[in-house]
Amino acid sequence: MRIGLGYDLHRLKAGRPLFLGGVRVPSPKGLLGHSDGDAVIHAVIDALLGAAGEGDIGRLFPDTDPAYQNIRSTELLRTVVRTLRRKGLRPDHVDAVVVAEEPKLGPHFEAMKDVLAPILGLSRDRLGLKAKTNEGLGDIGRGRAIACFAVATLRKIPKRR
Ligand code: MG
Protein backbone atom coordinates (compact mmCIF):
# COMPACT_ATOMS: atom_id res chain seq x y z
CA MET A 1 0.00 0.00 0.00
CA ARG A 2 1.15 3.53 -0.74
CA ILE A 3 0.32 6.34 1.68
CA GLY A 4 1.15 10.05 1.48
CA LEU A 5 0.91 12.99 3.85
CA GLY A 6 0.29 16.60 2.80
CA TYR A 7 0.15 19.91 4.60
CA ASP A 8 -0.43 23.47 3.47
CA LEU A 9 -1.07 26.89 4.95
CA HIS A 10 -2.00 30.17 3.29
CA ARG A 11 -2.41 33.64 4.71
CA LEU A 12 -5.83 35.29 4.66
CA LYS A 13 -6.28 38.71 3.12
CA ALA A 14 -9.35 40.95 3.16
CA GLY A 15 -11.15 41.29 -0.15
CA ARG A 16 -9.79 38.07 -1.73
CA PRO A 17 -12.26 35.33 -2.73
CA LEU A 18 -11.95 32.26 -0.46
CA PHE A 19 -11.50 28.99 -2.34
CA LEU A 20 -11.38 25.79 -0.28
CA GLY A 21 -11.86 22.28 -1.56
CA GLY A 22 -12.58 23.66 -5.01
CA VAL A 23 -15.55 25.69 -3.75
CA ARG A 24 -15.94 29.43 -3.33
CA VAL A 25 -16.87 29.89 0.32
CA PRO A 26 -18.51 33.20 1.28
CA SER A 27 -16.05 35.11 3.48
CA PRO A 28 -14.75 38.67 3.86
CA LYS A 29 -11.21 37.26 3.56
CA GLY A 30 -9.59 34.91 1.08
CA LEU A 31 -6.33 33.01 0.83
CA LEU A 32 -3.25 34.63 -0.68
CA GLY A 33 -1.34 32.57 -3.18
CA HIS A 34 0.18 32.33 -6.63
CA SER A 35 -2.81 30.16 -7.57
CA ASP A 36 -6.25 30.56 -5.98
CA GLY A 37 -4.63 29.66 -2.63
CA ASP A 38 -6.84 26.61 -2.05
CA ALA A 39 -4.97 25.07 0.90
CA VAL A 40 -7.25 22.00 0.99
CA ILE A 41 -6.48 21.01 -2.59
CA HIS A 42 -2.79 21.82 -2.15
CA ALA A 43 -2.54 19.54 0.91
CA VAL A 44 -4.40 16.78 -0.97
CA ILE A 45 -2.06 17.20 -3.96
CA ASP A 46 1.01 16.84 -1.73
CA ALA A 47 -0.47 13.73 -0.10
CA LEU A 48 -1.10 12.19 -3.55
CA LEU A 49 2.33 13.14 -4.88
CA GLY A 50 4.02 11.88 -1.71
CA ALA A 51 2.29 8.52 -2.01
CA ALA A 52 3.35 8.29 -5.67
CA GLY A 53 6.97 9.25 -4.97
CA GLU A 54 6.57 12.28 -7.23
CA GLY A 55 7.93 15.06 -5.02
CA ASP A 56 5.64 17.94 -4.13
CA ILE A 57 3.36 20.61 -5.55
CA GLY A 58 6.17 23.16 -5.81
CA ARG A 59 8.19 20.85 -8.05
CA LEU A 60 5.27 20.15 -10.38
CA PHE A 61 3.86 23.69 -10.43
CA PRO A 62 6.61 26.23 -9.57
CA ASP A 63 5.19 29.49 -8.18
CA THR A 64 7.70 31.32 -10.39
CA ASP A 65 5.86 30.04 -13.47
CA PRO A 66 3.33 32.61 -14.77
CA ALA A 67 1.30 29.73 -16.26
CA TYR A 68 0.04 28.95 -12.77
CA GLN A 69 -0.76 32.49 -11.69
CA ASN A 70 -4.33 32.68 -10.40
CA ILE A 71 -4.99 29.17 -11.74
CA ARG A 72 -7.84 27.28 -10.09
CA SER A 73 -6.36 24.54 -7.95
CA THR A 74 -8.96 22.10 -9.32
CA GLU A 75 -6.98 22.29 -12.58
CA LEU A 76 -3.76 21.44 -10.72
CA LEU A 77 -5.51 18.48 -9.07
CA ARG A 78 -6.71 17.18 -12.45
CA THR A 79 -3.12 17.30 -13.71
CA VAL A 80 -1.88 15.42 -10.64
CA VAL A 81 -4.49 12.65 -11.05
CA ARG A 82 -3.36 12.31 -14.71
CA THR A 83 0.27 12.12 -13.55
CA LEU A 84 -0.65 9.29 -11.17
CA ARG A 85 -2.54 7.47 -13.91
CA ARG A 86 0.55 7.52 -16.12
CA LYS A 87 2.36 5.74 -13.29
CA GLY A 88 -0.43 3.13 -13.11
CA LEU A 89 -1.77 4.56 -9.84
CA ARG A 90 -5.10 6.03 -8.74
CA PRO A 91 -6.39 7.54 -5.49
CA ASP A 92 -7.98 4.99 -3.18
CA HIS A 93 -8.84 7.12 -0.15
CA VAL A 94 -8.27 10.74 0.84
CA ASP A 95 -8.85 12.31 4.24
CA ALA A 96 -8.28 15.95 5.19
CA VAL A 97 -8.53 18.20 8.24
CA VAL A 98 -8.93 21.93 7.64
CA VAL A 99 -7.82 24.23 10.45
CA ALA A 100 -9.70 27.52 10.21
CA GLU A 101 -11.12 29.85 12.84
CA GLU A 102 -13.82 31.01 10.45
CA PRO A 103 -15.93 30.72 8.41
CA LYS A 104 -17.69 27.54 9.54
CA LEU A 105 -16.81 24.97 6.88
CA GLY A 106 -19.10 22.05 7.76
CA PRO A 107 -21.97 23.39 5.64
CA HIS A 108 -19.67 23.48 2.58
CA PHE A 109 -18.24 19.96 2.74
CA GLU A 110 -20.96 18.40 0.58
CA ALA A 111 -20.30 20.97 -2.15
CA MET A 112 -16.55 20.31 -1.85
CA LYS A 113 -17.18 16.57 -2.27
CA ASP A 114 -19.31 17.33 -5.36
CA VAL A 115 -16.23 18.97 -6.89
CA LEU A 116 -13.38 16.82 -5.56
CA ALA A 117 -14.77 13.25 -5.62
CA PRO A 118 -15.23 13.14 -9.43
CA ILE A 119 -11.76 14.64 -10.07
CA LEU A 120 -10.19 12.11 -7.70
CA GLY A 121 -12.31 9.28 -9.13
CA LEU A 122 -13.48 8.44 -5.61
CA SER A 123 -16.86 7.61 -4.18
CA ARG A 124 -17.94 10.16 -1.57
CA ASP A 125 -17.35 7.77 1.32
CA ARG A 126 -13.66 7.54 0.34
CA LEU A 127 -13.18 11.29 0.67
CA GLY A 128 -13.06 12.58 4.25
CA LEU A 129 -13.34 16.28 5.07
CA LYS A 130 -13.24 17.63 8.60
CA ALA A 131 -12.80 21.05 10.16
CA LYS A 132 -11.18 22.26 13.37
CA THR A 133 -10.69 25.70 14.82
CA ASN A 134 -7.39 26.59 16.46
CA GLU A 135 -9.21 27.61 19.67
CA GLY A 136 -8.32 31.24 19.07
CA LEU A 137 -4.61 30.52 19.40
CA GLY A 138 -1.82 31.64 17.11
CA ASP A 139 -2.13 33.12 13.63
CA ILE A 140 -4.79 30.64 12.54
CA GLY A 141 -6.76 31.37 15.70
CA ARG A 142 -6.57 35.09 15.00
CA GLY A 143 -7.97 34.55 11.51
CA ARG A 144 -4.73 35.34 9.69
CA ALA A 145 -4.32 31.98 7.98
CA ILE A 146 -5.98 28.68 7.14
CA ALA A 147 -4.10 25.38 7.16
CA CYS A 148 -4.93 21.88 6.00
CA PHE A 149 -3.55 18.39 6.68
CA ALA A 150 -4.31 15.53 4.31
CA VAL A 151 -3.48 11.86 3.87
CA ALA A 152 -4.02 9.80 0.77
CA THR A 153 -3.66 6.16 -0.16
CA LEU A 154 -3.16 4.99 -3.72
CA ARG A 155 -3.92 1.74 -5.44
CA LYS A 156 -2.47 0.22 -8.59
CA ILE A 157 -4.67 0.37 -11.66
CA PRO A 158 -5.11 -3.25 -12.80
CA LYS A 159 -3.33 -3.92 -16.11
CA ARG A 160 -5.63 -4.79 -19.02
CA ARG A 161 -4.77 -7.97 -20.83
MG1 MG B 1 -0.40 26.17 -1.20
mmCIF file with all atom_site columns, all heavy atoms in Angstrom, residues 7-10 32-33 35 37-39 42-43 57, ligand 1:
data_model
loop_
_atom_site.group_PDB
_atom_site.id
_atom_site.type_symbol
_atom_site.label_atom_id
_atom_site.label_alt_id
_atom_site.label_comp_id
_atom_site.label_asym_id
_atom_site.label_entity_id
_atom_site.label_seq_id
_atom_site.pdbx_PDB_ins_code
_atom_site.Cartn_x
_atom_site.Cartn_y
_atom_site.Cartn_z
_atom_site.occupancy
_atom_site.B_iso_or_equiv
_atom_site.pdbx_formal_charge
_atom_site.auth_seq_id
_atom_site.auth_comp_id
_atom_site.auth_asym_id
_atom_site.auth_atom_id
_atom_site.pdbx_PDB_model_num
ATOM   1  N  N   . TYR A 1 7  ? 0.480  18.789 3.711  1.00 0.00 ? 7  TYR A N   1
ATOM   2  C  CA  . TYR A 1 7  ? 0.148  19.906 4.602  1.00 0.00 ? 7  TYR A CA  1
ATOM   3  C  C   . TYR A 1 7  ? 0.274  21.192 3.808  1.00 0.00 ? 7  TYR A C   1
ATOM   4  O  O   . TYR A 1 7  ? 1.159  21.308 2.956  1.00 0.00 ? 7  TYR A O   1
ATOM   5  C  CB  . TYR A 1 7  ? 1.117  19.950 5.791  1.00 0.00 ? 7  TYR A CB  1
ATOM   6  C  CG  . TYR A 1 7  ? 1.012  21.215 6.617  1.00 0.00 ? 7  TYR A CG  1
ATOM   7  C  CD1 . TYR A 1 7  ? -0.043 21.382 7.511  1.00 0.00 ? 7  TYR A CD1 1
ATOM   8  C  CD2 . TYR A 1 7  ? 1.932  22.246 6.468  1.00 0.00 ? 7  TYR A CD2 1
ATOM   9  C  CE1 . TYR A 1 7  ? -0.161 22.553 8.251  1.00 0.00 ? 7  TYR A CE1 1
ATOM   10 C  CE2 . TYR A 1 7  ? 1.816  23.420 7.204  1.00 0.00 ? 7  TYR A CE2 1
ATOM   11 C  CZ  . TYR A 1 7  ? 0.769  23.568 8.096  1.00 0.00 ? 7  TYR A CZ  1
ATOM   12 O  OH  . TYR A 1 7  ? 0.649  24.721 8.816  1.00 0.00 ? 7  TYR A OH  1
ATOM   13 N  N   . ASP A 1 8  ? -0.592 22.155 4.083  1.00 0.00 ? 8  ASP A N   1
ATOM   14 C  CA  . ASP A 1 8  ? -0.430 23.469 3.467  1.00 0.00 ? 8  ASP A CA  1
ATOM   15 C  C   . ASP A 1 8  ? -1.039 24.535 4.363  1.00 0.00 ? 8  ASP A C   1
ATOM   16 O  O   . ASP A 1 8  ? -1.928 24.251 5.170  1.00 0.00 ? 8  ASP A O   1
ATOM   17 C  CB  . ASP A 1 8  ? -1.093 23.515 2.085  1.00 0.00 ? 8  ASP A CB  1
ATOM   18 C  CG  . ASP A 1 8  ? -0.617 24.707 1.271  1.00 0.00 ? 8  ASP A CG  1
ATOM   19 O  OD1 . ASP A 1 8  ? 0.524  25.164 1.492  1.00 0.00 ? 8  ASP A OD1 1
ATOM   20 O  OD2 . ASP A 1 8  ? -1.377 25.199 0.419  1.00 0.00 ? 8  ASP A OD2 1
ATOM   21 N  N   . LEU A 1 9  ? -0.548 25.738 4.218  1.00 0.00 ? 9  LEU A N   1
ATOM   22 C  CA  . LEU A 1 9  ? -1.075 26.890 4.950  1.00 0.00 ? 9  LEU A CA  1
ATOM   23 C  C   . LEU A 1 9  ? -0.978 28.100 4.036  1.00 0.00 ? 9  LEU A C   1
ATOM   24 O  O   . LEU A 1 9  ? 0.023  28.282 3.339  1.00 0.00 ? 9  LEU A O   1
ATOM   25 C  CB  . LEU A 1 9  ? -0.262 27.132 6.234  1.00 0.00 ? 9  LEU A CB  1
ATOM   26 C  CG  . LEU A 1 9  ? -0.632 28.351 7.074  1.00 0.00 ? 9  LEU A CG  1
ATOM   27 C  CD1 . LEU A 1 9  ? -0.422 28.054 8.562  1.00 0.00 ? 9  LEU A CD1 1
ATOM   28 C  CD2 . LEU A 1 9  ? 0.177  29.594 6.695  1.00 0.00 ? 9  LEU A CD2 1
ATOM   29 N  N   . HIS A 1 10 ? -2.039 28.893 4.013  1.00 0.00 ? 10 HIS A N   1
ATOM   30 C  CA  . HIS A 1 10 ? -1.995 30.168 3.287  1.00 0.00 ? 10 HIS A CA  1
ATOM   31 C  C   . HIS A 1 10 ? -2.500 31.281 4.195  1.00 0.00 ? 10 HIS A C   1
ATOM   32 O  O   . HIS A 1 10 ? -3.368 31.062 5.046  1.00 0.00 ? 10 HIS A O   1
ATOM   33 C  CB  . HIS A 1 10 ? -2.876 30.114 2.028  1.00 0.00 ? 10 HIS A CB  1
ATOM   34 C  CG  . HIS A 1 10 ? -2.232 29.382 0.901  1.00 0.00 ? 10 HIS A CG  1
ATOM   35 N  ND1 . HIS A 1 10 ? -1.663 30.020 -0.181 1.00 0.00 ? 10 HIS A ND1 1
ATOM   36 C  CD2 . HIS A 1 10 ? -2.051 28.065 0.686  1.00 0.00 ? 10 HIS A CD2 1
ATOM   37 C  CE1 . HIS A 1 10 ? -1.166 29.113 -1.006 1.00 0.00 ? 10 HIS A CE1 1
ATOM   38 N  NE2 . HIS A 1 10 ? -1.392 27.910 -0.509 1.00 0.00 ? 10 HIS A NE2 1
ATOM   39 N  N   . LEU A 1 32 ? -4.272 34.093 0.226  1.00 0.00 ? 32 LEU A N   1
ATOM   40 C  CA  . LEU A 1 32 ? -3.253 34.633 -0.679 1.00 0.00 ? 32 LEU A CA  1
ATOM   41 C  C   . LEU A 1 32 ? -2.466 33.487 -1.282 1.00 0.00 ? 32 LEU A C   1
ATOM   42 O  O   . LEU A 1 32 ? -2.122 32.536 -0.586 1.00 0.00 ? 32 LEU A O   1
ATOM   43 C  CB  . LEU A 1 32 ? -2.274 35.493 0.122  1.00 0.00 ? 32 LEU A CB  1
ATOM   44 C  CG  . LEU A 1 32 ? -2.549 36.977 0.262  1.00 0.00 ? 32 LEU A CG  1
ATOM   45 C  CD1 . LEU A 1 32 ? -1.454 37.599 1.120  1.00 0.00 ? 32 LEU A CD1 1
ATOM   46 C  CD2 . LEU A 1 32 ? -2.616 37.646 -1.094 1.00 0.00 ? 32 LEU A CD2 1
ATOM   47 N  N   . GLY A 1 33 ? -2.156 33.611 -2.563 1.00 0.00 ? 33 GLY A N   1
ATOM   48 C  CA  . GLY A 1 33 ? -1.342 32.572 -3.182 1.00 0.00 ? 33 GLY A CA  1
ATOM   49 C  C   . GLY A 1 33 ? -1.089 32.886 -4.631 1.00 0.00 ? 33 GLY A C   1
ATOM   50 O  O   . GLY A 1 33 ? -1.758 33.740 -5.215 1.00 0.00 ? 33 GLY A O   1
ATOM   51 N  N   . SER A 1 35 ? -1.586 30.690 -6.957 1.00 0.00 ? 35 SER A N   1
ATOM   52 C  CA  . SER A 1 35 ? -2.806 30.158 -7.573 1.00 0.00 ? 35 SER A CA  1
ATOM   53 C  C   . SER A 1 35 ? -3.986 30.787 -6.832 1.00 0.00 ? 35 SER A C   1
ATOM   54 O  O   . SER A 1 35 ? -3.884 31.895 -6.327 1.00 0.00 ? 35 SER A O   1
ATOM   55 C  CB  . SER A 1 35 ? -2.819 28.636 -7.434 1.00 0.00 ? 35 SER A CB  1
ATOM   56 O  OG  . SER A 1 35 ? -2.880 28.281 -6.059 1.00 0.00 ? 35 SER A OG  1
ATOM   57 N  N   . GLY A 1 37 ? -4.938 29.783 -4.056 1.00 0.00 ? 37 GLY A N   1
ATOM   58 C  CA  . GLY A 1 37 ? -4.633 29.659 -2.627 1.00 0.00 ? 37 GLY A CA  1
ATOM   59 C  C   . GLY A 1 37 ? -5.391 28.562 -1.904 1.00 0.00 ? 37 GLY A C   1
ATOM   60 O  O   . GLY A 1 37 ? -5.434 28.554 -0.673 1.00 0.00 ? 37 GLY A O   1
ATOM   61 N  N   . ASP A 1 38 ? -5.980 27.629 -2.651 1.00 0.00 ? 38 ASP A N   1
ATOM   62 C  CA  . ASP A 1 38 ? -6.837 26.605 -2.053 1.00 0.00 ? 38 ASP A CA  1
ATOM   63 C  C   . ASP A 1 38 ? -5.988 25.601 -1.251 1.00 0.00 ? 38 ASP A C   1
ATOM   64 O  O   . ASP A 1 38 ? -5.488 24.604 -1.774 1.00 0.00 ? 38 ASP A O   1
ATOM   65 C  CB  . ASP A 1 38 ? -7.612 25.882 -3.162 1.00 0.00 ? 38 ASP A CB  1
ATOM   66 C  CG  . ASP A 1 38 ? -8.723 24.990 -2.643 1.00 0.00 ? 38 ASP A CG  1
ATOM   67 O  OD1 . ASP A 1 38 ? -8.537 24.376 -1.576 1.00 0.00 ? 38 ASP A OD1 1
ATOM   68 O  OD2 . ASP A 1 38 ? -9.757 24.899 -3.316 1.00 0.00 ? 38 ASP A OD2 1
ATOM   69 N  N   . ALA A 1 39 ? -5.857 25.869 0.048  1.00 0.00 ? 39 ALA A N   1
ATOM   70 C  CA  . ALA A 1 39 ? -4.966 25.072 0.900  1.00 0.00 ? 39 ALA A CA  1
ATOM   71 C  C   . ALA A 1 39 ? -5.434 23.622 1.026  1.00 0.00 ? 39 ALA A C   1
ATOM   72 O  O   . ALA A 1 39 ? -4.620 22.719 1.238  1.00 0.00 ? 39 ALA A O   1
ATOM   73 C  CB  . ALA A 1 39 ? -4.860 25.710 2.287  1.00 0.00 ? 39 ALA A CB  1
ATOM   74 N  N   . HIS A 1 42 ? -4.249 21.904 -2.144 1.00 0.00 ? 42 HIS A N   1
ATOM   75 C  CA  . HIS A 1 42 ? -2.785 21.824 -2.150 1.00 0.00 ? 42 HIS A CA  1
ATOM   76 C  C   . HIS A 1 42 ? -2.293 20.729 -1.194 1.00 0.00 ? 42 HIS A C   1
ATOM   77 O  O   . HIS A 1 42 ? -1.353 19.999 -1.508 1.00 0.00 ? 42 HIS A O   1
ATOM   78 C  CB  . HIS A 1 42 ? -2.168 23.169 -1.771 1.00 0.00 ? 42 HIS A CB  1
ATOM   79 C  CG  . HIS A 1 42 ? -2.481 24.249 -2.759 1.00 0.00 ? 42 HIS A CG  1
ATOM   80 N  ND1 . HIS A 1 42 ? -2.050 25.546 -2.613 1.00 0.00 ? 42 HIS A ND1 1
ATOM   81 C  CD2 . HIS A 1 42 ? -3.177 24.206 -3.922 1.00 0.00 ? 42 HIS A CD2 1
ATOM   82 C  CE1 . HIS A 1 42 ? -2.488 26.267 -3.638 1.00 0.00 ? 42 HIS A CE1 1
ATOM   83 N  NE2 . HIS A 1 42 ? -3.176 25.480 -4.439 1.00 0.00 ? 42 HIS A NE2 1
ATOM   84 N  N   . ALA A 1 43 ? -2.934 20.604 -0.033 1.00 0.00 ? 43 ALA A N   1
ATOM   85 C  CA  . ALA A 1 43 ? -2.541 19.541 0.909  1.00 0.00 ? 43 ALA A CA  1
ATOM   86 C  C   . ALA A 1 43 ? -2.859 18.167 0.317  1.00 0.00 ? 43 ALA A C   1
ATOM   87 O  O   . ALA A 1 43 ? -2.069 17.228 0.431  1.00 0.00 ? 43 ALA A O   1
ATOM   88 C  CB  . ALA A 1 43 ? -3.253 19.737 2.243  1.00 0.00 ? 43 ALA A CB  1
ATOM   89 N  N   . ILE A 1 57 ? 4.095  19.695 -4.671 1.00 0.00 ? 57 ILE A N   1
ATOM   90 C  CA  . ILE A 1 57 ? 3.359  20.609 -5.546 1.00 0.00 ? 57 ILE A CA  1
ATOM   91 C  C   . ILE A 1 57 ? 4.279  21.683 -6.134 1.00 0.00 ? 57 ILE A C   1
ATOM   92 O  O   . ILE A 1 57 ? 4.105  22.089 -7.281 1.00 0.00 ? 57 ILE A O   1
ATOM   93 C  CB  . ILE A 1 57 ? 2.160  21.219 -4.771 1.00 0.00 ? 57 ILE A CB  1
ATOM   94 C  CG1 . ILE A 1 57 ? 1.226  22.003 -5.710 1.00 0.00 ? 57 ILE A CG1 1
ATOM   95 C  CG2 . ILE A 1 57 ? 2.625  22.095 -3.616 1.00 0.00 ? 57 ILE A CG2 1
ATOM   96 C  CD1 . ILE A 1 57 ? -0.082 22.401 -5.043 1.00 0.00 ? 57 ILE A CD1 1
HETATM 97 MG MG  . MG  B 2 .  ? -0.403 26.170 -1.197 1.00 0.00 ? 1  MG  B MG  1
#
